[in-house]
Amino acid sequence: MVQSQSTNGLPTAVDLGHHINSRSRARHPSPLKDIIRFMAVDDMVSLAGGLPHPSFFPFHTVTVTASGPTVKKSTCSLELPLEEILQYGSGAGHPQLRSWCREFTQRVHQPAYADWEVLLHPGNTNAWSKVVGLLCEPDDYILCESYTYPSAQAFWIPLGNKAAPVPADAEGMRADALNQILHDWEDTHPGTRQPHVLYLVSVGSNPSGVTMSTKRRRHIYDVCVEYDIIIVEDDPYFFLQYPNYDTSLSATDAPELVSSDDFLRSLTPSMLQFDHQGRVIRLESFSKTLAPGLRLGYFVANSVFTERLLRATEVETQDPSGLSQALVLRLVEHWGIDGYLGWLQRLGVEYRRRRDWMINAFSQHFRLEHAAGTGSTLLAYLNGVPIFSFVPPTGGMFIWACFYLAQNPAFEEQRHEPDVVDPEQAVADQLWQQFAEAKVLLAPGSYYHPWQGPDKVTTNARGANPATTYFRFSFSMTTKEEMERGIARMAQVIRASWKLEH
């Protein structure tokens, strides 16, 4: 692929237009949206657009009380003039907020090519649906992690798409496994098109909690260049990165805040930092850093992709909520980039504390030991029986626990029932029900199995490890006391299910 240099010394994106699917190629600009652009011209008399007159809006001004960027108890008042933001807007989003997002992206991620663009969207779930509509044809396979976000799959399954899961370890998706899957594709999937889209939650992966290492990111990117893969980096947890769990530190210990530049240097970088060809479509979100109800985020991508994404936006969602855009714009303008980075740094400290609370709550009821041959996996024992293991997350909001069923009497019974085709799932369903009856709610691991088709839904057919099942623990919402109460209830259920004495 031919690649030229821009005036600032960075390369321009290579031509990746061949990845755009037939439906997206057929999209045309919305004529009405084009008219809105001309309405902004000085002294223009518009007799064209069917916009309601702003004097008839029943809302005029809103004043919002917001936290200060560095001290939670401090507040500031933000006035939102509503005349402009309640009107139809550009599908690309408010120009001032887009400009701020571009400046912020350059400061934080430093994309490695010149001609990237920012386009606002109403949250990452909707953004991912637009990307599937941009790149994927029916029956395409989509590369993803070995366990992946269920809502991402829920969109592509009805379209006939299937997952091509890639094994992972404590550093994230394995580049050698990705390379092997693509190298062997014609032999393992004869008659099907090689995948050309990789869906990735690279920080605090939902559900695994794993953050992909910098070295691994470089290797994954290199494989994607070799096989011409587009990387979709869904990264709502990017700023919720933590140091390794340390048993010697109290969960109340709070590290001192550092400068914005030192904070950014402490973070594992985005795939954008290695993207010299423009093959990363990054999905940014304000959901985990400000509030999910805002339904606001933005794409960072090659202009060949943002132009087509804009065409879809114009006729599908039009633009994100004007009220949400104005609220975020006024807040980040008031805080400034450094103020926002200070807010994000404090968020990371708070969620790290909650992670530690949960692991400490495990240790009150289970004996935690490092698994042999691993530097990070912790094994939880009860009465000398290994019950579950997990890797303490270094990002995100979740602990992904693998439960070992070999010594569970209920599993042994299910294994010998002739009518039970998936004993692992049968016991997992029983356990989940028992946890819920004991008033502790966990997310079943089955939600996160990559959809590979109706012939690969059982543990055996998926090639998963036998006599194991998974549950996802979230540490984001509950207090320390609630966590301790919930883990105590879970331990009681486990004692009863595994028939272990107190």
Side-chain angles (χ1 to χ4, degrees), residues 245-306:
Y245 175 73
D246 187 343
T247 55
S248 67
L249 295 177
S250 166
T252 59
D253 292 341
E256 291 186 11
L257 299 184
V258 298
S259 70
S260 294
D261 288 340
D262 286 342
F263 170 56
L264 292 177
R265 279 191 287 269
S266 74
L267 301 176
T268 301
S270 161
M271 297 294 286
L272 285 177
Q273 219 169 92
F274 315 116
D275 184 21
H276 56 85
Q277 292 193 335
R279 62 178 60 252
V280 173
I281 299 176
R282 182 173 172 81
L283 312 184
E284 288 273 10
S285 174
F286 292 107
S287 290
K288 303 303 190 292
T289 58
L290 295 180
L294 291 168
R295 306 315 309 142
L296 185 63
Y298 55 99
F299 297 99
V300 181
N302 184 334
S303 57
V304 74
F305 297 141
T306 56

Side-chain angles (χ1 to χ4, degrees), residues 122-172:
N124 280 16
T125 300
N126 176 267
W128 167 243
S129 75
K130 287 188 171 79
V131 171
V132 174
L134 171 77
L135 300 176
C136 298
E137 302 284 5
D139 301 322
D140 273 358
Y141 280 79
I142 297 173
L143 296 157
C144 64
E145 294 155 289
S146 49
Y147 294 95
T148 195
Y149 180 49
S151 293
Q153 297 191 93
F155 182 80
W156 83 54
I157 291 171
L159 303 179
N161 301 122
K162 296 178 184 177
V166 183
D169 58 21
E171 291 187 65

Side-chain angles (χ1 to χ4, degrees), residues 154-465:
F155 182 80
W156 83 54
I157 291 171
L159 303 179
N161 301 122
K162 296 178 184 177
V166 183
D169 58 21
E171 291 187 65
M173 180 180 286
R174 286 171 38 204
D176 62 332
L178 176 62
N179 184 79
Q180 195 67 51
I181 287 170
L182 294 168
H183 179 271
D184 296 342
W185 190 262
E186 289 187 9
D187 296 329
T188 57
H189 296 75
T192 63
R193 186 161 80 136
Q194 177 187 287
H196 68 116
V197 175
L198 168 61
Y199 174 75
L200 188 64
V201 183
S202 58
V203 171
S205 179
N206 185 359
S208 72
V210 170
T211 296
M212 184 180 285
S213 69
T214 301
K215 182 179 179 181
R216 186 65 57 80
R217 289 167 190 263
R218 292 183 188 276
H219 290 166
I220 291 288
Y221 186 83
D222 290 344
V223 173
C224 290
V225 169
E226 180 179 354
Y227 289 94
D228 192 21
I229 308 296
I230 301 302
I231 302 168
V232 185
E233 187 176 34
D234 184 357
D235 209 2
Y237 309 105
F238 178 79
F239 294 100
L240 306 184
Q241 297 189 37
Y242 328 120
N244 291 327
Y245 175 73
D246 187 343
T247 55
S248 67
L249 295 177
S250 166
T252 59
D253 292 341
E256 291 186 11
L257 299 184
V258 298
S259 70
S260 294
D261 288 340
D262 286 342
F263 170 56
L264 292 177
R265 279 191 287 269
S266 74
L267 301 176
T268 301
S270 161
M271 297 294 286
L272 285 177
Q273 219 169 92
F274 315 116
D275 184 21
H276 56 85
Q277 292 193 335
R279 62 178 60 252
V280 173
I281 299 176
R282 182 173 172 81
L283 312 184
E284 288 273 10
S285 174
F286 292 107
S287 290
K288 303 303 190 292
T289 58
L290 295 180
L294 291 168
R295 306 315 309 142
L296 185 63
Y298 55 99
F299 297 99
V300 181
N302 184 334
S303 57
V304 74
F305 297 141
T306 56
E307 188 274 335
R308 291 287 92 188
L309 288 165
L310 179 57
R311 299 288 82 84
T313 296
E314 288 171 343
V315 295
E316 291 178 359
T317 55
Q318 300 222 7
D319 59 333
S321 161
L323 190 59
S324 292
Q325 292 185 70
L327 185 59
V328 170
L329 176 60
R330 288 291 180 267
L331 183 67
V332 296
E333 283 182 335
H334 180 78
W335 282 357
I337 286 179
D338 283 302
Y340 184 46
L341 289 171
W343 171 265
L344 295 170
Q345 189 178 167
R346 281 203 348 273
L347 279 184
V349 169
E350 292 298 325
Y351 282 114
R352 186 227 77 180
R353 178 180 287 119
R354 290 170 181 269
R355 175 203 65 178
D356 293 354
W357 286 347
M358 180 162 281
I359 298 175
N360 291 347
F362 287 155
S363 69
Q364 293 175 19
H365 300 277
F366 302 89
R367 178 167 53 86
L368 299 183
E369 290 186 1
H370 282 286
T374 72
S376 53
T377 302
L378 289 176
L379 263 171
Y381 292 88
L382 199 54
N383 290 18
V385 175
I387 303 296
F388 63 92
S389 67
F390 64 97
V391 176
T394 53
M397 298 177 169
F398 313 110
I399 291 177
W400 183 236
C402 176
F403 279 68
Y404 301 105
L405 305 177
Q407 298 187 54
N408 183 299
F411 176 67
E412 191 62 25
E413 290 175 14
Q414 294 286 348
R415 277 200 325 126
H416 293 96
E417 285 289 337
D419 296 334
V420 176
V421 295
D422 192 348
E424 288 87 355
Q425 190 57 49
V427 173
D429 292 343
Q430 287 179 11
L431 278 172
W432 185 88
Q433 186 66 41
Q434 290 163 0
F435 290 147
E437 289 171 357
K439 295 188 177 180
V440 55
L441 198 60
L442 304 180
S446 59
Y447 289 2
Y448 306 91
H449 296 161
W451 173 255
Q452 302 174 71
D455 58 331
K456 292 189 176 182
V457 295
T458 66
T459 301
N460 183 58
R462 288 186 291 107
N465 290 333

